[in-house]
Amino acid sequence: MRRVVITGAGTINALAEGVAATHRAMAEGRCGIGPLNFPDADRLNIRIGAQIRGFAPQDRFDLSKLALYDAFTQYALVSADEAMAQAGLEAAPDPARWGVILGTAGGGHTTANDAYRAVYADGKNRVHPFTVPKLMANAAPAHLSIRYGLQGPGFSVTTACASSNHAIGLAFQMVRAGLADGMLTGGSEAMLNFGGLKAWEGLRVMSPDGCRPFSADRNGMVQGEGAGVFVIETLEGALARGAAPLAEIAGFAMNSDAGDIVMPDRDSAARAIVGALADAEMAPEEVGYINAHGTGTAANDRIETAAIRQVFGARAEAVPVSATKSMHGHCIGGTGAVELLACLMALREGVLAPTLGYGTPDPECDLDYVPNTARRGVSVGAVLSNAFAFGGSNAVLALRAI
Amino acid sequence: MRSDVQNQVLSIIAREALRAPEDLRNEMTLDELGLDSLGLVEVIFAIEETFDVSVPFNANDPAAAQFDISSVGAIIAAVEKLISGDTPSAAVA
């Protein structure tokens, strides 16, 4: 089977635009969570989030095209531009053999929110003519395909909080199996609007005051937004065209709890981790860092800890595990892509992103969570990135340094 | 005689638990009634809609909420207190 490497990465999220700036923010332990700012935010009970600030789409895109771009497409395009530039590509090298698979949960959620506001709240009888092509969940990969001439497979996958990991895993499998030679992959989410937050608020799982994964005083998740996009291709292809691999995607596993619609399941999560290790032919001893799903909810953090213990046994305490949602918020369908950046930082720079907000140890969360301060000078040869979504959809990626 | 509030809360819980209201007793827990975390969130939503109140409740930390859900009777008492205005607003729920 063919080896698959990442040759470009790009992002925009609440911490920063750009991978280098995001890595700096993670290494400094900066928090992107603050007061939410959008129409009617004052009617929310939950008023904090990791919102992208200072992004001016009118300065970044042709106005004629911008009319077709929901924020989730804008974030994907900005991230893809950065990833393509790093990979040294202006367009797909072999259009029919290159494609794009992105994760998103809400798609063009803000476009839908605005249209509903117009017809229901404002009493208007028409919405913008591009409402459908803006809100459809495949808008982001479609615009990436148009921009870079990606004529191979192109689609979105949507598995709530695991969407990005599923997208990256599928893209990896397709390139490894020879169904494509290269892919743009990752995920994007822009659900920070009144309707989106109201829906989350209703489930009673949101924190009113901060994201504190694995800490005994955690009280829920904090929503974020943003995108991460990666260029992946065969190792052989990358070397042939003189591109520098950033890391190797070594394995992937996905499964389903087939249990509760919102409660995670330890055995199923553990099975996904074991599956990713097996797929990568990676011994547990190789793993030097785990990017946790780590949402900051009571249930996830306890069950994820138990799953890691189940897989790693006594060695679990020796594996640093961090939850970067404490910094960039829970970017839902885009979160796995943003979190993969922390994995690249661990593999390439030997810096482990911290879990912010960690205060009081929880007896049921008893691993090394890299609390509050990044760890530097660590030699990491292999990492895992966990995603355990609502719906019981689990997806775990395994990467190696190259 | 049960008050209107008591009857309304009972019928909300009974509906979620797929029981008849008259089968419910004050000392019953939601667990006994087979209500899981999603069922509880639906009960709270129905209470908020019925009585036009905000219930301070976070599923991550039910114990810290100023809204006692330990039994059917406790929920009725908590709703009565909430309607009387003795419980802080749900802004910190």
Side-chain angles (χ1 to χ4, degrees), chain A residues 54-63 66:
Chain A
F55 178 67
Q58 68 278 9
D59 299 339
R60 308 295 292 272
F61 303 105
D62 291 347
L63 289 183
L66 186 57

Side-chain angles (χ1 to χ4, degrees), chain A residues 45-46 202-208 219-220 260-263 296-299, chain B residues 36-38 41 44-45 48 54-61 90-93:
Chain A
N45 289 326
I46 301 298
L203 200 55
R204 305 275 179 164
V205 295
M206 306 288 288
S207 168
N219 60 359
D260 193 274
I261 193 72
V262 293
M263 280 295 284
T297 63
Chain B
D36 63 5
S37 60
L38 286 182
V41 168
I44 288 172
F45 172 68
E48 290 181 321
S54 283
V55 175
F57 176 79
N58 178 339
N60 290 288
D61 199 359
V92 292

Side-chain angles (χ1 to χ4, degrees), chain A residues 17 55 57 59-62 65-66 69 73-85 89-92 100 139-151 184 229:
Chain A
E17 178 177 345
F55 178 67
D59 299 339
R60 308 295 292 272
F61 303 105
D62 291 347
K65 291 181 179 166
L66 186 57
Y69 299 160
T73 297
Q74 296 168 24
Y75 297 161
L77 283 165
V78 163
S79 303
D81 272 354
E82 183 187 5
M84 288 289 279
L89 294 171
E90 285 183 3
V100 50
H143 285 294
L144 262 56
S145 76
I146 293 166
R147 193 171 178 97
Y148 309 112
L150 305 160
Q151 295 183 334
L184 264 67
V229 174

